[in-house]
Amino acid sequence: MNSIRSLLLMATMVVAFFACTQPSGSAPEKGVSFALNQYRKQNIDSIRYAIELDIPAGKTDKILGKETISFHLHSLDSALVLDFNVDAAHLKEVRVAGGKADYQFVNEHIVIEPKHLVTGRNELEIDFVAGDLSLNRSEDYLYTLFVPDRASTCFPLFDQPNLKASYQLTLKTPEGWEAVSNGGLEAKTMENGKAVYRFGATKPVSSYLFAFAAGKFFKATQVLDGREMTMYYRETDTAKVARNRDEVFQLHARSLAWLEDYTGIGYPFGKFDFVLLPSFQYGGMEHPGSIFYNEPALFLDENASVNRRMARASVIAHESAHMWFGDLVTMEWFNDVWLKEVFANFMAAKIVHPGFPEVNHDLRFLLAHYPNAYEVDRTAGTNPILQQLGNLKNAGTLYGAIIYMKAPIVMRQLERKIGGTIMRESLQEYLRSYSFKNARWDDLIGIIDKRTPQDIASWSNVWVKTPGMPSYDVQAGKLVQAADSVKGRAWEQPLVLKSIQEGNSSLAFPNNDGTGYGYFKMDSASKKWFFENYGSKNTLFADPVFRGAMLVNIWEGLLRGDGPAPAKLAGYTLNALAKEQNPLLVDYLLANLQSAWWVFLNAEQRAEMQMQLENTLWQLLNGTQDKGIQTSYFRAFKALASTGDGWQKMHGLWTGKLVVKGLVLSEEDKISLAYELALKGNGDGKTILSQQLHATQNPDRKARMQFVIPALSPDEAERDRFFESLKKESNREKEAWVLDALAYLHHPLRAKSALKYLRPSLDMLQEIQLTGDIFFPTRWLHNTFAGHASPEAARIAQAFLNEHSNYPYFLKNKILQATDLLDRSVKLSATYGRQEHSPALSQR
């Protein structure tokens, strides 16, 4: 394919093929194929589930379930296919009209012949043992996570997003447990020593949005603007809870009020509660009436930076926006999953900005979205925003930075292209037209195209339906698009270029307003001038967006071999940090410094710069008056310090014998310090970790520590045994714990001994995708490869890809994305060798 027209035609043919395929008499394939999805959508509607689950006190004991499924069936020309992704032993009995019905259990499906059914209203009763895959169970609590197709791993149903249904849940739990679900609590009674919670029927929602949690939770309830909200949480630090509680409720209330005003539609789902979970896999999950959050993201430490506080406000606004965008109107098929995410991000930005007037929001948008989007879009494994999906079992592989980071950039372009008024009116029509239904991106584009003479569909075809990013060169004082990987593709977007004359030099600063998307190549003279004048009184530097945009350009240039050399850039970055007071830019500079340090500098270069690095960070840590920036410097020092002096400083902070004025360390900070001390110490790590484990009060954090500690062992054989244990699915249940452990197992200081884990980690990837949650395959790969920068590691990854030429497309892309920095590190090492030094360090 050598043109954009051919690329789009191919995509259209794929969709047409799926649409024309119908289930035959053969057994349904595993997962939910597009064909099965289409057939059921045409023949089944008006679905209601009544589900009863009996939860035992023991974590490993079986959860017995009963359910009644009622639905309207339009045709009897094929067997009825229900989804139940467990082994056959979990299914006990199926009854129709009170009588036992025959069925087949095939490829994770219950198949019922038409003779048991009627045209019109049908009712099935099913007894089963709930599957555990998406029942995240701990000793004294559990919670569900059914996105994208995991409801069927718990109970039988039609598990596809365009078959919305009403859910009525009854939970029997151990006495003393709390329970929460989407529906309002209608009754709580006691039965045979167990608490029985009966929740009311929900409005029509997609299966991945049904949820419940039960266990030993604390509760707090507030009424704001006439709306009662209840927060369930596990945090035992009462001071931390008290410090954050009111703000968490207020942020929800403000988000809901703003969304009701913007959309013209009142909150659609009646009850509004939220649950905070200690090791939740995501920042949040938008279950209507029962949002789930990662607890540490909402209960912030005392010295939380403005970035952390804005991140909290943003995730709350994001999940609140999903009540309309994703829950009220849901994508038709999961290839449009990006649509709900981009709307949630888009709305969250509008909601959050007024609450942080001290923040430059253009800068924050630039730094929060562009670098992360480029991180995927620059790789050989990139993908378009709108991807094709043949089977729902692969839906989790669609998630990533392109959906969450690039799509909001494109949506902002669209709003600027058509104007805020047309955007709002179009979204209001979209929500009204498809309330409690399903819709596609092209449905919205059709609504917009009616309101504007511009050809939005053609613009969308490039930005939404094709992969990659444009590149631009400065030629004769203008920005010119470089050769594109797809012939004839033009990336329509407004671009700016700032040119200045300095002596005999003409300097060019492309994309100086930070709005253009792509790689903007800068010449070496302009880069050098930028860093040499960083912090000067030159009017250009008064604009933090200009500073941020140039830093992004220069980092992208480093990755493409356009310089400066890695050690020199590390020196430049340290110099810039000493002159930077903007907390967003400090965080970005520190992130780049850490990446350059561990990925692109070799051991000799790090040793040459180590003392100056630690001294500079320590001075900045002690010298700043901003508590948030101080916390950022503390975390960077902790991650980068490795000399004996640095270790002693960390040890002093950990014991409390060394005090930095203004720095308040949380229990999480103390744990992470203990980890770093054990990793970088001289044999005393076991004692340090044991003392920290004993001192840790929160039971969830203590359990997490116990899991991670073997990955920090100085004994390589113990680390080997730990890695072997991860091959067992049950040892990967707490994904956040696994990711913590992987980061230390593959830490750059131990990368050589961890090479032997790389191939087995790749061999496990398909199982990881099937048994883990949606972000786990990407994070598994990232935390496996992020610590590696050697040619040996790159060869292992390449050999795996060479040996698996027919490897699943989506997972192959994840590998290419995860190993991109590794490959670039190897190439840069060959380009610059070991001869470079860092003269910029002496320029401060």
Side-chain angles (χ1 to χ4, degrees), residues 51 53-56 59-65 84 86 90 128-139 141-146 150-155 169 171 210-214 281 292 729 733-734 771 773:
I51 304 164
L53 297 172
D54 191 341
I55 300 173
K59 174 186 172 182
T60 59
D61 293 342
K62 293 179 180 179
I63 297 178
L64 301 181
F84 196 26
V86 292
H90 282 72
F128 61 95
V129 175
D132 266 348
L133 183 60
S134 292
L135 289 177
N136 297 270
R137 299 175 73 176
S138 297
E139 293 301 332
Y141 73 99
L142 63 79
Y143 64 90
T144 61
L145 195 53
F146 291 153
R150 299 298 177 85
S152 61
T153 67
C154 180
F155 62 95
L169 175 66
L171 284 182
F210 173 60
F212 58 88
Q281 291 91 321
F292 291 177
E729 180 188 341
E733 286 180 345
K734 300 286 189 183
T771 60
D773 286 300

Side-chain angles (χ1 to χ4, degrees), residues 300-309 626-628 631 635:
L300 302 183
D301 294 331
E302 190 172 342
N303 279 5
S305 67
V306 67
N307 240 354
R308 293 292 302 276
R309 291 186 286 112
D626 185 295
K627 288 191 173 184
T631 299
R635 289 176 176 161

Side-chain angles (χ1 to χ4, degrees), residues 668-794:
E668 290 96 329
D669 290 328
K670 291 291 188 74
I671 292 170
S672 64
L673 271 172
Y675 288 167
E676 293 292 333
L677 289 167
L679 178 73
K680 300 169 182 175
N682 295 312
D684 44 6
K686 186 174 182 180
T687 300
I688 290 171
L689 292 171
S690 177
Q691 290 175 355
Q692 182 58 53
L693 187 64
H694 178 75
T696 299
Q697 298 298 308
N698 182 279
D700 296 316
R701 286 191 282 272
K702 187 182 287 284
R704 188 169 183 163
M705 267 200 79
Q706 289 170 325
F707 180 87
V708 172
I709 283 173
L712 285 156
S713 174
D715 180 358
E716 187 173 338
E718 185 175 357
R719 300 200 301 273
D720 290 348
R721 288 191 295 272
F722 175 79
F723 178 78
E724 285 298 314
S725 75
L726 296 181
K727 294 179 179 179
K728 188 176 180 181
E729 180 188 341
S730 61
N731 291 329
R732 303 192 303 266
E733 286 180 345
K734 300 286 189 183
E735 293 177 1
W737 299 6
V738 173
L739 295 171
D740 280 355
L742 286 177
Y744 287 109
L745 205 63
H746 292 277
H747 191 279
L749 295 175
R750 289 188 172 158
K752 188 173 181 179
S753 68
L755 283 169
K756 59 177 168 293
Y757 308 141
L758 295 181
R759 180 57 188 256
S761 295
L762 291 168
D763 290 335
M764 293 165 63
L765 185 58
Q766 285 184 277
E767 182 191 348
I768 293 287
Q769 187 237 321
L770 292 174
T771 60
D773 286 300
I774 56 177
F775 297 117
F776 194 42
T778 299
R779 291 170 177 170
W780 170 272
L781 288 170
H782 177 271
N783 284 25
T784 294
F785 282 97
H788 293 273
S790 67
E792 293 86 351

